[in-house]
Amino acid sequence: MTAGRVNPSFRLEDQGITGLGSASYNLIEPALIQAALSRGEGKLGHGGAFLVTTGQFTGRSPKDKFVVRTPSVEDTIWWNNNKPMAPDAFKRLHADMLEHLKGREVFVQDLHAGADTEHRLNVRVVTELAWHGLFIRHMLRRPARDDLDSFVAEWTIINCPSFKADPARHGCRSETAIVLNFDAKLILIANTAYAGENKKSVFTLLNYLLPEKGVMPMHCSANHAIGDPSDSAVFFGLSGTGKTTLSQDPSRVLIGDDEHGWSDTGIFNFEGGCYAKTINLDPRAEPEIYATTARFASVVENMVFDPETLVLDFDDDSLTANTRVAYPLDAISNASTSSLGGHPKNVIMLTCDAFGVLPPISRLSAAQAMYHFLSGFTSKVAGTERGVTEPEPTFSTCFGAPFMPRRPEVYGKLLQQKINQHGATCWLVNTGWTGGAYGTGNRMPIKATRALLTAALNGSLNAAEFRKDPNFGFEVPVAVAGVEPELLDPRRTWADADAYDAQARKLVAMFAENFDKYAPYIDDDVRAAAIG
């Protein structure tokens, strides 16, 4: 055993993990990099960043994710969204993985999930790859070294990329499996080296556990005003909507960029770091994220680099468009040291509307906010995928359907309660197209989006004159300083107003059709507020 600091009374053997070749506990960054290099897991890049490729899997495998179907969760898991695994199949998978690990080397990290000490979860992560230990040290939160002497894990992740599952024996779909067992308090990950599976498994876990405590788990970024943590804001949004870019405002303090909880005392980051996309990363637009790719112990994942100079190619997506860098929050100069904030004064839902219908900003009632939260709308554009010839709607409920173990209405109602209880103002912000759909119109000017968000966050936008949108019923400002008045009325930006009306009717119908599946589970006020 190689140990940094570890609770001597809490051993892997107590969890049935026996016969290992060696186990290294809570190694810190230099030791993990040294181990990863000696094992040939990657390269040491500029500034001491660790460069790694993940092989066959360069992203998550949602079709291979399972929840063990035990009586304790039978009535609370959203089974339409979560594939079940039989308890006996899980037992075989667990036993076979433990047998596979005998004689092998593992790396153990004892970490916290959640910055709020009242709601955080102690997680032990057992990994077959040293660099996975480095990654998860960035993504979760590190206990003080002295606290490791008494650390007791509440949940354990066993990640074994070299183990191939047997669908017939283990009740899974392929040789890859990501399985959560809420009775055993155990997560198994097999046959994938993509590090994001570790992070998102913990997020899924918290998404199940926290609502029972009255805490709203959120797939969102968050920030607060400088010098005033009580003036916080959260930013929901799917990929490509600007969630990370817009929340990392130098005039505000970054709480976190991806996963947060909203408790009775305020919001808190689940994580201790960031997992940022790097494809086409511009050092002028996002200098601090760019700098992390040459920072000691950052994990640079699936980026192409020159084999001699190790210079990274930020534009090469030949391995994947999902190139990433993982780094601790303290790499960002305006990041919060506590990762805590007060109750959000503003809840912002970001969407990229490629249909050119939605206004650049709209004010929502609590019921409308629940409707748009459950909808989780953005859109694909022509050319992004084979066969996409015109904008296509994408609805990912709660802005993160793959990570939602409970039914969406559980999260929607909890969010609505928090908004009503704490008086948050809700905004829908369209960072997509104006003056026409994708291919005809133009992308919403980032300068206008920032001006509108600044007015929303400082409270001045609430004093503006508003009109009611005839399509969705939400409120739209008529005039905002620094923003072209025509931009606030999408119909006026189209050359053909009748064409706009037809496109708007089409989008409204798409929303309504998508929302039909939630209608039986929601209150009348949300149904009434859904469409104007």
Side-chain angles (χ1 to χ4, degrees), residues 397-484:
T397 189
C398 308
F399 296 97
F403 323 116
M404 300 298 154
R406 296 180 182 270
R407 280 204 58 88
E409 303 81 27
V410 172
Y411 307 105
K413 290 179 180 178
L414 189 52
L415 179 64
Q416 187 178 13
Q417 290 168 8
K418 296 287 187 186
I419 290 169
N420 285 331
Q421 181 179 358
H422 301 291
T425 304
C426 302
W427 307 93
L428 181 68
V429 173
N430 174 26
T431 61
W433 270 257
T434 183
Y438 173 84
T440 302
N442 301 301
R443 193 73 189 256
M444 196 71 68
I446 185 65
K447 183 178 179 180
T449 300
R450 289 193 182 280
L452 291 167
L453 274 176
T454 297
L457 295 176
N458 67 25
S460 64
L461 190 53
N462 282 314
E465 178 187 353
F466 286 81
R467 64 176 178 85
K468 182 177 180 180
D469 181 82
N471 300 304
F472 288 90
F474 41 51
E475 296 180 312
V476 181
V478 174
V480 178
V483 179
E484 294 282 344

Coordinates of all heavy atoms in Angstrom, one line a residue, residues 397-484:
T397 N -35.1 17.6 -20.8 CA -35.8 18.1 -19.7 C -34.8 18.4 -18.5 O -33.8 17.8 -18.3 CB -36.8 17.1 -19.2 OG1 -37.6 17.7 -18.2 CG2 -36.2 15.8 -18.7
C398 N -35.1 19.5 -17.8 CA -34.3 20.0 -16.7 C -32.9 20.4 -17.1 O -32.0 20.5 -16.3 CB -34.3 18.9 -15.5 SG -35.9 18.3 -15.0
F399 N -32.7 20.6 -18.4 CA -31.4 21.0 -19.0 C -30.4 19.9 -18.6 O -29.2 20.2 -18.4 CB -31.0 22.3 -18.5 CG -31.9 23.4 -19.0 CD1 -32.9 24.0 -18.2 CD2 -31.8 23.9 -20.3 CE1 -33.7 24.9 -18.7 CE2 -32.6 24.9 -20.8 CZ -33.6 25.5 -19.9
G400 N -30.8 18.6 -18.6 CA -29.8 17.6 -18.2 C -30.5 16.2 -18.1 O -30.2 15.5 -17.1
A401 N -31.4 15.8 -19.0 CA -32.1 14.6 -18.9 C -31.3 13.4 -18.6 O -31.7 12.5 -17.8 CB -32.9 14.4 -20.2
P402 N -30.0 13.2 -19.2 CA -29.3 12.0 -19.0 C -28.9 11.8 -17.5 O -28.5 10.6 -17.1 CB -28.0 12.2 -19.8 CG -28.4 13.1 -20.9 CD -29.4 14.1 -20.2
F403 N -29.0 12.8 -16.7 CA -28.5 12.7 -15.3 C -29.7 12.8 -14.3 O -29.4 12.9 -13.1 CB -27.5 13.8 -15.0 CG -26.6 14.1 -16.2 CD1 -26.6 15.4 -16.8 CD2 -25.8 13.2 -16.7 CE1 -25.8 15.6 -17.9 CE2 -25.0 13.4 -17.8 CZ -25.0 14.7 -18.4
M404 N -30.9 12.6 -14.8 CA -32.1 12.7 -13.9 C -32.6 11.4 -13.5 O -33.3 10.7 -14.3 CB -33.1 13.6 -14.6 CG -32.7 15.0 -15.0 SD -32.3 15.9 -13.5 CE -31.1 17.1 -14.2
P405 N -32.4 10.9 -12.3 CA -32.9 9.6 -12.0 C -34.4 9.6 -11.5 O -35.1 8.6 -11.6 CB -32.0 9.1 -10.8 CG -31.5 10.4 -10.2 CD -31.4 11.4 -11.3
R406 N -34.8 10.8 -11.1 CA -36.3 10.9 -10.7 C -37.0 11.5 -11.9 O -36.5 12.1 -12.8 CB -36.4 11.8 -9.5 CG -35.7 11.2 -8.2 CD -35.9 12.1 -7.0 NE -35.2 11.6 -5.8 CZ -35.8 10.9 -4.9 NH1 -37.1 10.5 -5.1 NH2 -35.2 10.4 -3.9
R407 N -38.4 11.5 -11.8 CA -39.2 12.1 -12.8 C -38.9 13.6 -12.9 O -38.7 14.2 -11.8 CB -40.7 11.8 -12.6 CG -41.1 10.4 -13.0 CD -42.6 10.4 -13.3 NE -43.0 11.3 -14.3 CZ -43.0 11.1 -15.6 NH1 -42.6 9.9 -16.0 NH2 -43.3 12.0 -16.5
P408 N -39.0 14.2 -14.1 CA -38.7 15.6 -14.2 C -39.6 16.5 -13.3 O -39.1 17.6 -12.9 CB -39.0 15.9 -15.7 CG -38.9 14.5 -16.3 CD -39.3 13.5 -15.3
E409 N -40.8 16.1 -13.1 CA -41.7 17.0 -12.3 C -41.2 17.2 -10.9 O -41.5 18.2 -10.3 CB -43.1 16.4 -12.3 CG -43.8 16.2 -13.7 CD -43.3 14.9 -14.3 OE1 -42.9 13.9 -13.6 OE2 -43.3 14.8 -15.5
V410 N -40.5 16.2 -10.4 CA -39.9 16.3 -9.0 C -39.0 17.6 -9.0 O -39.1 18.4 -8.1 CB -39.2 15.1 -8.6 CG1 -38.4 15.3 -7.3 CG2 -40.1 13.9 -8.5
Y411 N -38.1 17.7 -10.0 CA -37.2 18.8 -10.0 C -37.9 20.1 -10.4 O -37.6 21.2 -9.8 CB -36.1 18.5 -11.0 CG -35.4 17.2 -10.8 CD1 -35.7 16.1 -11.6 CD2 -34.5 17.0 -9.7 CE1 -35.1 14.8 -11.3 CE2 -33.9 15.8 -9.5 CZ -34.2 14.7 -10.3 OH -33.6 13.5 -10.0
G412 N -38.9 20.0 -11.3 CA -39.6 21.2 -11.7 C -40.4 21.8 -10.6 O -40.4 23.0 -10.4
K413 N -41.1 21.0 -9.8 CA -41.9 21.5 -8.7 C -41.0 22.1 -7.6 O -41.3 23.1 -6.9 CB -42.8 20.4 -8.1 CG -43.9 20.0 -9.0 CD -44.8 18.9 -8.5 CE -45.9 18.6 -9.4 NZ -46.7 17.5 -8.9
L414 N -39.8 21.4 -7.4 CA -38.9 21.9 -6.3 C -38.3 23.2 -6.8 O -38.2 24.2 -5.9 CB -37.8 20.9 -6.1 CG -36.8 21.1 -5.0 CD1 -37.5 21.3 -3.7 CD2 -35.9 19.9 -4.8
L415 N -38.0 23.4 -8.0 CA -37.5 24.7 -8.5 C -38.5 25.7 -8.4 O -38.2 26.9 -7.9 CB -37.0 24.5 -10.0 CG -36.5 25.8 -10.6 CD1 -35.2 26.3 -9.9 CD2 -36.2 25.6 -12.1
Q416 N -39.7 25.4 -8.7 CA -40.8 26.4 -8.6 C -41.0 26.8 -7.2 O -41.2 28.0 -6.9 CB -42.1 25.8 -9.2 CG -43.3 26.8 -9.3 CD -44.5 26.2 -9.9 OE1 -44.7 25.0 -10.0 NE2 -45.5 27.0 -10.2
Q417 N -40.9 25.9 -6.2 CA -41.1 26.2 -4.8 C -39.9 27.2 -4.4 O -40.2 28.1 -3.7 CB -41.0 25.0 -4.0 CG -42.3 24.1 -4.1 CD -42.1 22.7 -3.5 OE1 -41.1 22.4 -2.8 NE2 -43.0 21.8 -3.7
K418 N -38.7 26.9 -4.8 CA -37.6 27.7 -4.4 C -37.7 29.1 -5.0 O -37.4 30.1 -4.3 CB -36.3 27.1 -4.9 CG -35.9 25.7 -4.3 CD -35.5 25.9 -2.9 CE -35.0 24.5 -2.4 NZ -34.6 24.6 -0.9
I419 N -38.2 29.2 -6.2 CA -38.4 30.5 -6.9 C -39.4 31.3 -6.1 O -39.2 32.5 -5.8 CB -38.7 30.3 -8.4 CG1 -37.5 29.8 -9.2 CG2 -39.2 31.7 -9.0 CD1 -37.9 29.3 -10.6
N420 N -40.5 30.7 -5.8 CA -41.6 31.4 -5.1 C -41.2 31.8 -3.7 O -41.5 32.9 -3.2 CB -42.9 30.5 -5.1 CG -43.6 30.4 -6.4 OD1 -43.5 31.4 -7.2 ND2 -44.2 29.3 -6.7
Q421 N -40.5 30.9 -3.0 CA -40.1 31.1 -1.6 C -39.1 32.3 -1.5 O -39.2 33.1 -0.5 CB -39.6 29.8 -1.0 CG -39.2 30.0 0.5 CD -38.6 28.6 1.0 OE1 -38.6 27.6 0.3 NE2 -38.2 28.7 2.3
H422 N -38.2 32.3 -2.4 CA -37.1 33.3 -2.3 C -37.2 34.5 -3.2 O -36.3 35.3 -3.3 CB -35.8 32.6 -2.4 CG -35.6 31.5 -1.4 ND1 -35.4 31.8 -0.1 CD2 -35.6 30.1 -1.5 CE1 -35.3 30.6 0.6 NE2 -35.4 29.6 -0.3
G423 N -38.3 34.5 -4.0 CA -38.5 35.7 -4.9 C -37.5 35.9 -6.0 O -37.3 37.1 -6.4
A424 N -37.0 34.8 -6.5 CA -36.1 35.0 -7.7 C -36.8 35.5 -8.9 O -38.0 35.1 -9.2 CB -35.4 33.6 -7.9
T425 N -36.1 36.3 -9.7 CA -36.7 36.7 -11.0 C -36.1 35.7 -12.1 O -34.9 35.4 -12.0 CB -36.2 38.1 -11.3 OG1 -36.7 39.0 -10.3 CG2 -36.9 38.6 -12.6
C426 N -37.0 35.3 -13.0 CA -36.6 34.3 -13.9 C -36.5 34.9 -15.3 O -37.4 35.6 -15.7 CB -37.5 33.1 -13.9 SG -37.6 32.3 -12.3
W427 N -35.5 34.5 -16.1 CA -35.3 35.0 -17.4 C -35.0 33.9 -18.4 O -34.3 33.0 -18.1 CB -34.1 36.0 -17.5 CG -34.2 37.1 -16.4 CD1 -33.7 37.1 -15.2 CD2 -34.9 38.4 -16.6 NE1 -33.9 38.3 -14.5 CE2 -34.7 39.1 -15.4 CE3 -35.6 39.0 -17.6 CZ2 -35.2 40.4 -15.2 CZ3 -36.1 40.3 -17.4 CH2 -35.9 40.9 -16.2
L428 N -35.6 34.0 -19.6 CA -35.2 33.1 -20.7 C -34.4 33.9 -21.7 O -34.9 35.0 -22.2 CB -36.5 32.6 -21.4 CG -36.3 31.6 -22.6 CD1 -35.7 30.3 -22.1 CD2 -37.6 31.4 -23.3
V429 N -33.2 33.5 -21.9 CA -32.2 34.3 -22.8 C -31.9 33.4 -24.0 O -31.5 32.3 -23.9 CB -30.9 34.6 -22.0 CG1 -29.9 35.2 -22.9 CG2 -31.2 35.5 -20.8
N430 N -32.2 34.0 -25.2 CA -31.9 33.4 -26.5 C -30.6 33.8 -27.0 O -30.5 35.0 -27.4 CB -33.1 33.6 -27.5 CG -32.8 33.1 -28.8 OD1 -32.0 32.1 -29.0 ND2 -33.4 33.7 -29.9
T431 N -29.6 32.9 -27.1 CA -28.3 33.3 -27.7 C -28.2 32.8 -29.1 O -27.1 32.7 -29.7 CB -27.2 32.6 -26.9 OG1 -27.3 31.2 -26.9 CG2 -27.2 33.1 -25.4
G432 N -29.4 32.4 -29.7 CA -29.4 31.8 -31.1 C -29.5 32.8 -32.2 O -28.7 33.7 -32.3
W433 N -30.5 32.7 -33.0 CA -30.6 33.5 -34.2 C -31.7 34.6 -34.2 O -32.7 34.5 -33.5 CB -30.9 32.6 -35.4 CG -29.6 32.1 -36.0 CD1 -29.0 32.5 -37.2 CD2 -28.7 31.1 -35.5 NE1 -27.8 31.8 -37.4 CE2 -27.6 30.9 -36.4 CE3 -28.7 30.2 -34.4 CZ2 -26.6 30.0 -36.1 CZ3 -27.7 29.4 -34.1 CH2 -26.6 29.3 -35.0
T434 N -31.4 35.6 -34.9 CA -32.3 36.8 -35.1 C -32.4 37.2 -36.5 O -31.4 37.0 -37.3 CB -31.9 37.9 -34.2 OG1 -32.9 39.0 -34.3 CG2 -30.5 38.5 -34.6
G435 N -33.5 37.8 -37.0 CA -33.6 38.2 -38.4 C -33.9 37.1 -39.3 O -33.8 37.2 -40.5
G436 N -34.2 35.9 -38.8 CA -34.5 34.7 -39.6 C -33.9 33.5 -39.0 O -33.2 33.6 -38.0
A437 N -34.2 32.4 -39.5 CA -33.7 31.1 -38.9 C -32.3 30.9 -39.4 O -31.7 31.7 -40.2 CB -34.5 29.9 -39.4
Y438 N -31.6 29.9 -38.8 CA -30.2 29.6 -39.2 C -30.2 29.4 -40.7 O -31.0 28.8 -41.3 CB -29.8 28.3 -38.5 CG -28.5 27.7 -39.0 CD1 -27.3 28.2 -38.4 CD2 -28.4 26.8 -40.0 CE1 -26.1 27.7 -38.8 CE2 -27.2 26.3 -40.4 CZ -26.0 26.8 -39.8 OH -24.8 26.3 -40.3
G439 N -29.1 30.0 -41.3 CA -29.0 30.0 -42.7 C -29.5 31.2 -43.4 O -29.1 31.6 -44.5
T440 N -30.4 32.0 -42.7 CA -30.9 33.2 -43.3 C -30.6 34.4 -42.4 O -30.2 35.4 -42.8 CB -32.5 33.1 -43.5 OG1 -32.8 32.0 -44.3 CG2 -33.0 34.4 -44.0
G441 N -30.9 34.2 -41.1 CA -30.7 35.3 -40.1 C -29.2 35.3 -39.6 O -28.3 34.7 -40.2
N442 N -29.0 36.0 -38.5 CA -27.7 36.2 -38.0 C -27.7 35.7 -36.5 O -28.7 35.7 -35.8 CB -27.2 37.6 -38.0 CG -27.2 38.1 -39.4 OD1 -26.4 37.6 -40.3 ND2 -27.9 39.2 -39.7
R443 N -26.5 35.3 -36.0 CA -26.4 34.9 -34.6 C -26.6 36.2 -33.7 O -26.2 37.3 -34.1 CB -25.0 34.3 -34.3 CG -24.9 33.6 -33.0 CD -25.6 32.3 -33.0 NE -25.7 31.7 -31.7 CZ -25.0 30.7 -31.2 NH1 -24.1 30.1 -32.1 NH2 -25.2 30.2 -30.0
M444 N -27.3 36.0 -32.6 CA -27.6 37.1 -31.7 C -26.3 37.7 -31.3 O -25.3 37.0 -30.9 CB -28.3 36.5 -30.4 CG -29.0 37.5 -29.6 SD -30.5 38.2 -30.4 CE -31.6 36.8 -30.4
P445 N -26.2 39.0 -31.4 CA -24.9 39.7 -31.0 C -24.5 39.5 -29.5 O -25.4 39.7 -28.7 CB -25.2 41.2 -31.3 CG -26.4 41.2 -32.2 CD -27.2 40.0 -31.9
I446 N -23.3 39.0 -29.3 CA -22.9 38.7 -27.9 C -22.9 40.0 -27.1 O -23.2 40.0 -25.9 CB -21.5 38.1 -27.9 CG1 -21.2 37.6 -26.5 CG2 -20.5 38.9 -28.5 CD1 -22.0 36.6 -25.8
K447 N -22.6 41.2 -27.7 CA -22.6 42.4 -27.0 C -24.0 42.7 -26.5 O -24.2 43.2 -25.3 CB -22.2 43.5 -28.0 CG -22.1 44.9 -27.3 CD -21.6 46.0 -28.3 CE -21.5 47.3 -27.6 NZ -21.0 48.4 -28.6
A448 N -25.1 42.4 -27.3 CA -26.5 42.7 -26.8 C -26.8 41.7 -25.7 O -27.5 42.1 -24.7 CB -27.4 42.5 -28.0
T449 N -26.4 40.4 -25.8 CA -26.7 39.5 -24.8 C -26.1 39.9 -23.5 O -26.7 39.8 -22.4 CB -26.2 38.1 -25.2 OG1 -26.8 37.7 -26.4 CG2 -26.5 37.0 -24.1
R450 N -24.8 40.3 -23.5 CA -24.2 40.8 -22.3 C -24.9 42.0 -21.7 O -25.0 42.1 -20.5 CB -22.7 41.0 -22.5 CG -21.9 39.8 -22.8 CD -20.4 40.0 -22.8 NE -19.6 38.9 -23.0 CZ -19.3 37.9 -22.2 NH1 -19.8 38.0 -21.0 NH2 -18.6 36.9 -22.5
A451 N -25.3 42.9 -22.5 CA -25.9 44.1 -22.0 C -27.3 43.8 -21.4 O -27.6 44.3 -20.3 CB -26.2 45.1 -23.2
L452 N -28.0 42.9 -22.0 CA -29.3 42.4 -21.4 C -29.1 41.7 -20.1 O -29.8 41.9 -19.1 CB -30.0 41.6 -22.4 CG -30.6 42.3 -23.6 CD1 -31.0 41.3 -24.7 CD2 -31.7 43.3 -23.3
L453 N -28.1 40.8 -20.0 CA -27.8 40.1 -18.8 C -27.3 41.0 -17.7 O -27.8 40.9 -16.5 CB -26.7 39.0 -19.0 CG -27.2 37.7 -19.6 CD1 -26.1 36.7 -19.8 CD2 -28.2 37.0 -18.6
T454 N -26.5 42.0 -18.0 CA -26.1 43.0 -17.0 C -27.3 43.7 -16.4 O -27.4 43.9 -15.2 CB -25.1 43.9 -17.7 OG1 -23.9 43.2 -18.1 CG2 -24.7 45.0 -16.7
A455 N -28.2 44.1 -17.3 CA -29.4 44.8 -16.8 C -30.3 43.9 -16.0 O -30.9 44.4 -15.0 CB -30.2 45.4 -18.0
A456 N -30.3 42.6 -16.3 CA -31.1 41.7 -15.5 C -30.5 41.5 -14.2 O -31.2 41.5 -13.1 CB -31.3 40.4 -16.3
L457 N -29.2 41.3 -14.1 CA -28.5 41.0 -12.9 C -28.4 42.2 -11.9 O -28.4 42.0 -10.7 CB -27.1 40.5 -13.2 CG -27.0 39.1 -13.9 CD1 -25.6 38.7 -14.2 CD2 -27.7 38.0 -13.1
N458 N -28.3 43.4 -12.5 CA -28.2 44.6 -11.6 C -29.6 45.1 -11.2 O -29.7 46.1 -10.5 CB -27.3 45.7 -12.2 CG -27.9 46.3 -13.4 OD1 -29.1 46.3 -13.7 ND2 -27.0 46.9 -14.3
G459 N -30.6 44.5 -11.7 CA -32.0 44.9 -11.4 C -32.6 46.0 -12.2 O -33.8 46.2 -12.1
S460 N -31.9 46.6 -13.0 CA -32.4 47.8 -13.8 C -33.4 47.3 -14.8 O -34.3 48.0 -15.2 CB -31.3 48.6 -14.5 OG -30.6 47.8 -15.4
L461 N -33.3 46.1 -15.3 CA -34.2 45.6 -16.4 C -35.7 45.5 -15.8 O -36.6 45.6 -16.6 CB -33.7 44.3 -16.9 CG -34.5 43.7 -18.2 CD1 -34.4 44.8 -19.3 CD2 -33.8 42.5 -18.7
N462 N -35.8 45.2 -14.5 CA -37.1 45.1 -14.0 C -37.9 46.4 -14.1 O -39.2 46.4 -14.0 CB -37.1 44.6 -12.5 CG -36.8 43.1 -12.4 OD1 -37.4 42.3 -13.1 ND2 -35.8 42.8 -11.5
A463 N -37.2 47.5 -14.2 CA -37.9 48.8 -14.3 C -38.3 49.2 -15.7 O -39.0 50.2 -15.9 CB -37.0 49.9 -13.7
A464 N -38.0 48.3 -16.7 CA -38.3 48.6 -18.1 C -39.8 48.4 -18.4 O -40.5 47.7 -17.6 CB -37.4 47.7 -19.0
E465 N -40.2 48.9 -19.5 CA -41.6 48.6 -20.0 C -41.5 47.3 -20.7 O -40.6 47.0 -21.4 CB -42.0 49.7 -20.9 CG -43.4 49.5 -21.5 CD -43.8 50.5 -22.6 OE1 -43.0 51.4 -22.8 OE2 -44.8 50.2 -23.3
F466 N -42.6 46.5 -20.4 CA -42.6 45.1 -21.0 C -43.9 45.0 -21.8 O -44.9 45.6 -21.5 CB -42.6 44.0 -19.9 CG -41.3 43.8 -19.2 CD1 -40.8 44.7 -18.2 CD2 -40.4 42.8 -19.6 CE1 -39.6 44.5 -17.6 CE2 -39.2 42.6 -19.0 CZ -38.8 43.4 -18.0
R467 N -43.8 44.1 -22.8 CA -45.0 43.7 -23.6 C -45.2 42.2 -23.4 O -44.2 41.5 -23.1 CB -44.8 44.0 -25.1 CG -43.7 43.3 -25.7 CD -43.5 43.5 -27.2 NE -42.4 42.8 -27.8 CZ -42.4 41.5 -28.2 NH1 -43.6 40.8 -28.1 NH2 -41.3 40.9 -28.7
K468 N -46.4 41.7 -23.7 CA -46.6 40.3 -23.6 C -46.4 39.6 -25.0 O -46.9 40.1 -26.0 CB -48.1 40.0 -23.2 CG -48.4 38.5 -23.0 CD -49.8 38.3 -22.5 CE -50.1 36.8 -22.3 NZ -51.5 36.6 -21.8
D469 N -45.5 38.6 -25.0 CA -45.3 37.9 -26.2 C -46.5 37.1 -26.7 O -47.1 36.4 -25.9 CB -44.1 36.9 -26.0 CG -43.7 36.2 -27.3 OD1 -43.0 36.7 -28.1 OD2 -44.2 35.0 -27.5
P470 N -46.9 37.3 -27.9 CA -48.2 36.7 -28.4 C -48.1 35.1 -28.5 O -49.1 34.5 -28.6 CB -48.5 37.4 -29.7 CG -47.1 37.8 -30.2 CD -46.4 38.2 -29.0
N471 N -46.9 34.6 -28.6 CA -46.7 33.2 -28.9 C -46.5 32.4 -27.6 O -47.1 31.3 -27.5 CB -45.4 33.0 -29.8 CG -45.6 33.7 -31.1 OD1 -46.5 33.5 -31.8 ND2 -44.6 34.6 -31.4
F472 N -45.7 32.9 -26.7 CA -45.4 32.1 -25.4 C -46.0 32.8 -24.2 O -45.9 32.2 -23.1 CB -43.9 31.9 -25.3 CG -43.4 30.9 -26.3 CD1 -42.9 31.3 -27.5 CD2 -43.4 29.6 -26.0 CE1 -42.4 30.4 -28.5 CE2 -42.9 28.6 -26.9 CZ -42.4 29.0 -28.1
G473 N -46.4 34.0 -24.2 CA -47.1 34.6 -23.1 C -46.1 35.2 -22.1 O -46.6 35.8 -21.1
F474 N -44.8 35.1 -22.2 CA -43.9 35.7 -21.3 C -43.7 37.2 -21.6 O -44.2 37.7 -22.6 CB -42.5 35.0 -21.2 CG -42.0 34.6 -22.6 CD1 -41.9 35.4 -23.6 CD2 -41.6 33.3 -22.8 CE1 -41.4 35.1 -24.9 CE2 -41.0 32.8 -24.0 CZ -40.9 33.7 -25.0
E475 N -43.1 37.9 -20.7 CA -42.9 39.4 -20.8 C -41.6 39.7 -21.5 O -40.5 39.1 -21.2 CB -42.9 40.0 -19.5 CG -44.3 39.9 -18.8 CD -44.3 40.6 -17.4 OE1 -43.3 40.4 -16.6 OE2 -45.2 41.3 -17.1
V476 N -41.6 40.6 -22.4 CA -40.4 41.0 -23.2 C -40.2 42.5 -23.1 O -41.1 43.3 -23.3 CB -40.6 40.6 -24.7 CG1 -39.3 41.0 -25.5 CG2 -40.9 39.2 -24.9
P477 N -39.0 43.0 -22.7 CA -38.8 44.4 -22.6 C -38.9 45.1 -23.9 O -38.5 44.6 -25.0 CB -37.3 44.5 -22.1 CG -36.7 43.2 -22.4 CD -37.8 42.2 -22.4
V478 N -39.4 46.3 -23.9 CA -39.7 47.1 -25.1 C -38.4 47.8 -25.5 O -38.1 48.0 -26.7 CB -40.8 48.1 -24.9 CG1 -41.0 49.0 -26.1 CG2 -42.1 47.3 -24.6
A479 N -37.7 48.3 -24.5 CA -36.4 49.1 -24.8 C -35.4 48.9 -23.7 O -35.8 48.9 -22.5 CB -36.8 50.6 -25.0
V480 N -34.2 48.7 -24.0 CA -33.1 48.5 -23.1 C -31.9 49.3 -23.6 O -31.5 49.2 -24.8 CB -32.7 47.1 -22.9 CG1 -31.5 46.9 -21.9 CG2 -33.9 46.2 -22.4
A481 N -31.3 50.1 -22.7 CA -30.1 50.9 -23.2 C -29.0 50.0 -23.7 O -28.7 49.0 -23.2 CB -29.6 51.7 -22.0
G482 N -28.5 50.5 -24.9 CA -27.4 49.7 -25.5 C -27.8 48.6 -26.4 O -27.0 47.9 -26.9
V483 N -29.1 48.4 -26.6 CA -29.7 47.3 -27.4 C -30.6 47.9 -28.5 O -31.5 48.7 -28.1 CB -30.4 46.3 -26.5 CG1 -30.9 45.1 -27.4 CG2 -29.5 45.7 -25.5
E484 N -30.4 47.5 -29.7 CA -31.3 47.9 -30.8 C -32.7 47.5 -30.5 O -33.0 46.4 -30.2 CB -30.9 47.3 -32.1 CG -29.5 47.7 -32.6 CD -29.5 49.1 -33.3 OE1 -30.6 49.5 -33.6 OE2 -28.5 49.7 -33.5

